[in-house]
Amino acid sequence: MSVRATEHGWILETRATAYTLGFDDAGRLIHGYWGARLPYSADYSVPARTPGWASAGWASFNGSSHLIRAEYPGYAGPSYVEPCLKVMFADGVRDVVLRQEGVELEDETLRIRLHDTVYPLAVTLHYRLHPDVDLIERWTTLSNEGEQPITLERAFSAQWHLPHGTDYRLTHVNGRWLDEMHLVRESLEPGSKVLESRRLTTSHHHNPWFAIDRAGAPANEDAGEVWFGVLAWSGNWKLVAEVTEFASTRVSLGLNDWDFAWRLDAGQEFTTPSSFAGYTREGFGGASRLLHEFVRESVVPHPGVTRKVLYNSWEATTFDVSEQGQLELARHAAAMGVELFVMDDGWFHSRASDNAGLGDWWPDPEKFPRGLGPLVEGVNALSMDFGLWIEPEMVNPDSDLYRAHPDWVIHFPTRERTEMRNQLILNVARPEVQEYLIKLLDDLLTRHNIRFIKWDMNRNISEPGWPDAPGDARELWVRYVQGVYHIWDTLRARHPEVIWQSCSGGGGRVDFGILRLADQAWISDNTSAPPRLAIQEGYSHIFPASTMEAWVTDWDRGKLPLEFRFHVSMCGLLGVGGNLLHWSAEERAQAAQLIAQYKELRHIVQFGDLYRLRSPQEHAFSALEYITSDRSAGVIFAFRTHIPDPIILPLLYPRGLEPQARYIIESFDGVYSGQAWMQTGLELNLGNFESKILRISRV
Ligand code: GLA
């Protein structure tokens, strides 16, 4: 596992994969190989063998820069493929010709320095290996070493090249508010397939993730080649999957260049977000397990910490919160075994509805005449942690903050400020806005024993103006996200014990960038169990269960069994969000039992490996399994939604067991080898909207 230099390039090896690159005779950085690790260095061609005709170009219509597989193509020369970099120099020259300048190798990071042949622009490509999870992280820094500003018009993080050919399928996720994370699988055809966000945030619409397999030899959950990757960024992003007319397939990923510009002043540096990508022969299941392990162990702020069962007040009380009302809910929650009580929206100054209050982050004096102290202490006295909802980036025009600083919002001076949910977006790129928010939120966290914060963001952008921007106003797209990260990082550093949740009307902002700050995410405002199964499945392709909050609410109350609804939520971070005052004593008692059961198995769900056994997006009978990394304990969740009877359900085949070890599986007789269970399968008998949990134990 290492980075090895060869005569003309480098071999990057992880546990099971390899990636090669090198310079061609003209000094251009060329991609070589990305796939399974091979036995000998000599097995790799470094750099890739570019055929002679490609090095020379093809007729007068395709120059060689169009034909080579450049690692980080700048727009230059006769090339019409997607570039990673597009700039404008002070004299109006708009192409960038990059050549080798230097190389540094440090631990598991390779840094390749390129330089423009004429202009003072240095481009450093960073390659960092995450060997145990077979991931390569790439990012780019751009430095202006001259006197004049350079305008960046596109600065992607990476271009990932698939083995030469066109026979590929792209898997991605698509959705909208209340309906996130539908898996889409389509063949890649000549031309470019673009996925992006122009919403200032990651979006419910798509996610910066791809998984590519071979159309002619498709992968499934368990086997087959998959190349996959993500972008760690919580703002506008763009993914271009391109198939050229010369049978080259590549995926470019980075900050969206739509309406983007960045003035790189003399002596300044710009760093792109990271893109992580990997390869596996273990199908889509293998790809997600690698991403999960990486997020669990290397991305989130509190790796290895057991996530608590939470109660959230939103659906019970909406804006109608009070000390007594919350404490009443809290007493029921505590009696059921809840460990963390979160008061949602409605607690701060003049927040009686979604018309007012955002921006005024202090307790509403009418609802909380004694402040938050007594409530926090009351919740703590019930042996629960206390958590709070905030939406820092937003402001209602009806707020003290807006009345004092109407110029702090994102807007164009001559245009009407479009309100959505009666709110406008604060320009958190502005240092004074950052200071205001840090001060108020720091104050809240300092005064009270708050152990959990749900950070929400409930609208997308319009009129993206920044009238008095110090640089190019189009820097807003990036500076805004940097501002969010800065506020969050500062608060985290001051209050490291706090666990944060990322929410944006459900799953509008979940990505590898935000998970560096937030340990968990609210993945959808849709809390009905059947659609939730599908949303959770899509989510599971990218993110681990240890980040996936799932609450049992009242959406299906009286329609679907409580057990079914709990089982769906127990596949992630179990929470409860119903109005407990309306629940019967029997419902609360059953909930208490299910919460106790969850606590017994949550180490498997939160830290185990996921195997998707049957897809709820494809089948009304679905199942998934988690198993500990030592393969000693597992749990299968099986669900039947609606299927007309009569039916004999198909067998479920457990996965990931140690073939030679002997296991028992709850509800089934006998002790059998892992291989036997995986080979012969399990026959389940479930009625409509019934579910089952099966514990697996090695004996
Ligand atoms: C968003 C969130 C909800 C809730 C409300 C509060 O819609 O997704 O969970 O917090 O805001 O206004």
Side-chain angles (χ1 to χ4, degrees), residues 92-394:
V93 166
R94 300 193 311 283
D95 69 355
V96 55
V97 180
L98 300 175
R99 291 293 179 271
Q100 173 173 14
E101 190 181 66
V103 175
E104 282 166 40
L105 188 53
E106 193 188 302
D107 300 328
E108 261 145 13
T109 305
L110 171 69
R111 279 192 206 95
I112 301 185
R113 250 174 87 83
L114 309 172
H115 204 281
D116 189 90
T117 51
V118 172
Y119 293 91
L121 175 66
V123 176
T124 307
L125 307 185
H126 306 255
Y127 295 80
R128 181 188 290 151
L129 298 185
H130 299 279
D132 298 337
V133 284
D134 289 326
L135 291 176
I136 297 172
E137 175 181 359
R138 288 182 60 183
W139 73 100
T140 302
T141 45
L142 304 155
S143 318
N144 181 351
E145 298 175 339
E147 306 289 321
Q148 307 285 327
I150 301 172
T151 305
L152 308 178
E153 296 177 346
R154 173 185 285 194
F156 280 174
S157 299
Q159 189 163 96
W160 300 99
H161 289 269
L162 281 294
H164 186 74
T166 60
D167 184 34
Y168 292 109
R169 289 195 308 180
L170 170 69
T171 302
H172 56 99
V173 285
N174 167 257
R176 51 197 175 138
W177 178 62
L178 285 184
D179 192 20
E180 298 88 342
M181 297 278 171
H182 291 272
L183 290 160
V184 179
R185 209 154 266 165
E186 57 187 288
S187 76
L188 283 175
E189 303 294 339
S192 293
K193 166 86 189 177
V194 177
L195 302 172
E196 63 176 342
S197 167
R198 299 181 183 185
R199 295 168 185 263
L200 186 64
T201 181
T202 327
S203 96
H204 302 82
H205 187 188
H206 297 292
N207 199 275
W209 165 74
F210 68 89
I212 292 182
D213 65 334
R214 295 189 189 270
N220 57 30
E221 274 298 306
D222 300 322
E225 289 182 285
V226 180
W227 293 261
F228 57 96
V230 297
L231 181 73
W233 185 244
S234 313
N236 283 6
W237 56 271
K238 185 171 188 175
L239 180 156
V240 187
E242 182 179 20
V243 179
T244 73
E245 70 279 39
F246 291 91
S248 174
T249 302
R250 66 276 298 270
V251 179
S252 309
L253 200 50
L255 300 171
N256 203 338
D257 58 343
W258 177 83
D259 196 39
F260 165 80
W262 187 278
R263 196 179 73 198
L264 195 61
D265 281 323
Q268 284 188 346
E269 191 170 276
F270 181 84
T271 302
T272 71
S274 287
S275 175
F276 298 85
Y279 164 86
T280 177
R281 303 182 72 88
E282 291 174 20
F284 296 105
S288 15
R289 283 188 290 280
L290 292 169
L291 290 176
H292 293 177
E293 188 177 334
F294 182 60
V295 170
R296 269 197 316 259
E297 284 168 22
S298 308
V299 179
V300 294
H302 297 91
V305 173
T306 301
R307 308 289 178 233
K308 297 191 167 165
V309 176
L310 72 74
Y311 177 80
N312 179 291
S313 68
W314 170 242
E315 294 191 18
T317 48
T318 63
F319 302 98
D320 191 13
V321 296
S322 67
E323 188 183 310
Q324 279 321 313
Q326 294 294 299
L327 278 174
E328 223 180 324
L329 287 167
R331 278 190 283 275
H332 282 304
M336 282 164 37
V338 167
E339 301 156 301
L340 163 65
F341 182 89
V342 183
M343 176 162 65
D344 208 280
D345 202 347
W347 60 270
F348 46 95
H349 180 235
S350 71
R351 186 69 165 173
S353 70
D354 62 16
N355 271 317
L358 290 172
D360 299 353
W361 298 109
W362 54 89
D364 183 65
E366 280 172 28
K367 290 180 187 170
F368 294 95
R370 305 195 295 158
L372 292 184
L375 174 59
V376 178
E377 285 150 26
V379 166
N380 289 164
L382 293 163
S383 303
M384 292 187 293
D385 283 350
F386 181 81
L388 198 62
W389 179 95
I390 56 173
E391 195 183 358
E393 299 147 82
M394 297 294 156

Side-chain angles (χ1 to χ4, degrees), residues 314 344-345 389 421 454 456 458 503 505-506 522 525 551:
W314 170 242
D344 208 280
D345 202 347
W389 179 95
R421 211 192 189 211
K454 171 175 174 181
D456 210 337
N458 274 320
C503 174
W522 181 229
D525 277 343
W551 320 335

Side-chain angles (χ1 to χ4, degrees), residues 25 50 114 116 237 239 332 393 432 519 585 610 636 653 686:
D25 294 342
T50 306
L114 309 172
D116 189 90
W237 56 271
L239 180 156
H332 282 304
E393 299 147 82
E432 63 272 42
D519 282 284
L610 168 69
I636 291 175
Y653 296 96
L686 293 177

Side-chain angles (χ1 to χ4, degrees), residues 605-623:
V605 172
Q606 296 184 8
F607 305 112
D609 284 339
L610 168 69
Y611 289 82
R612 290 177 292 256
L613 306 184
R614 273 179 73 81
S615 161
Q617 294 199 9
E618 288 173 23
H619 306 289
F621 171 51
S622 66

